[in-house]
Amino acid sequence: MKLWTWVKRGSTVSLLALTFAQGGGAAAETAPRSGRYGSLVLAVRGSSVSGVFADVRGGINGMPSFSCIFLLRGTLSGPRAALETWYPGEAERIAGTLTFTAEGAELRLVEDHGGCSMTTGGMVDKPYTLPREVQAGEARPENWRGVGLVTARRAALRTELGQAPRRTPYLVADDAVVVLERREGWVRALYQGGKAPVVGWLPATDLAVEEP
């Protein structure tokens, strides 16, 4: 808005326009939303957030493969959440913070998980920036119930509940998925790591699932 004021300088009276930016110049807060943020998949429900971070580098032409993989959960206060993060089956918990921004999200940990310094470059000294990716169709975040990480060596994606057909797409250990639906002993999951998103049923025993 503009505020007009009269200023007297000697015998001259002039009119000045003072412009004030609404909001005091502070950046607008971004509402937390489920979605894919680079290597991080997040599910938000109310004041709770859960996610899975999975980034693998190398493994080509004889080079070693390095991975930065962990689950997270936290409680939101505005656009920020205090987190605990861990790898399935391990007792260690590493604290951190997640902040939603206009461009996506920022993740910061008090200590890096094993392999992260060789892939992401670390998340301790400064926030790790994660751009939000636009989803469409069945991948729309409003359909997301939670997240999961494949723990089985190989997990077949089924179009229907029950025995997997002889030829069917499959996921491997440490693949990240979105949980769309749960039935007793089964999880309907969305996998976005290939050339195109794919949806199918997985045995719940093949996954580590985290829901807000």
Side-chain angles (χ1 to χ4, degrees):
M1 63 180 180
K2 288 186 177 180
L3 175 64
W4 294 91
T5 185
W6 293 97
V7 179
K8 185 175 182 180
R9 295 178 179 172
S11 60
T12 304
V13 177
S14 60
L15 185 65
L16 300 180
L18 304 179
T19 303
F20 295 89
Q22 293 193 19
E29 292 186 347
T30 301
R33 294 185 293 174
S34 300
R36 187 175 184 89
Y37 296 77
S39 300
L40 177 64
V41 180
L42 293 173
V44 176
R45 280 187 172 184
S47 62
S48 298
V49 59
S50 63
V52 56
F53 186 95
D55 192 354
V56 180
R57 308 282 179 92
I60 301 175
N61 297 327
M63 295 183 63
S65 176
F66 299 96
S67 61
C68 178
I69 299 169
F70 54 87
L71 291 166
L72 64 85
R73 62 169 167 250
T75 301
L76 289 158
S77 177
R80 298 174 181 83
L83 304 175
E84 66 170 349
T85 68
W86 71 97
Y87 185 80
E90 296 183 359
E92 181 184 23
R93 296 292 191 269
I94 296 177
T97 57
L98 175 72
T99 304
F100 289 87
T101 67
E103 295 77 24
E106 293 180 344
L107 183 61
R108 189 165 190 165
L109 303 180
V110 299
E111 179 185 344
D112 282 322
H113 285 273
C116 291
S117 61
M118 301 298 293
T119 55
T120 65
M123 304 178 184
V124 177
D125 295 331
K126 62 180 181 179
Y128 187 71
T129 302
L130 297 149
R132 179 178 171 81
E133 299 179 9
V134 178
Q135 308 298 328
E138 190 167 17
R140 290 179 302 178
E142 56 263 34
N143 296 328
W144 295 9
R145 175 170 173 168
V147 298
L149 188 68
V150 177
T151 54
R153 185 179 65 85
R154 178 171 171 155
L157 275 167
R158 301 153 170 85
T159 56
E160 302 290 343
L161 300 181
Q163 185 68 29
R166 181 166 297 184
R167 291 189 177 184
T168 185
Y170 66 90
L171 305 180
V172 298
D174 292 334
D175 278 340
V177 299
V178 174
V179 176
L180 300 177
E181 183 181 352
R182 294 193 75 174
R183 296 185 189 176
E184 187 174 354
W186 294 91
V187 173
R188 187 165 173 263
L190 162 70
Y191 176 67
Q192 300 170 298
K195 294 181 179 179
V198 59
V199 175
W201 290 94
L202 296 168
T205 52
D206 287 351
L207 297 168
V209 172
E210 184 64 28
E211 296 182 0

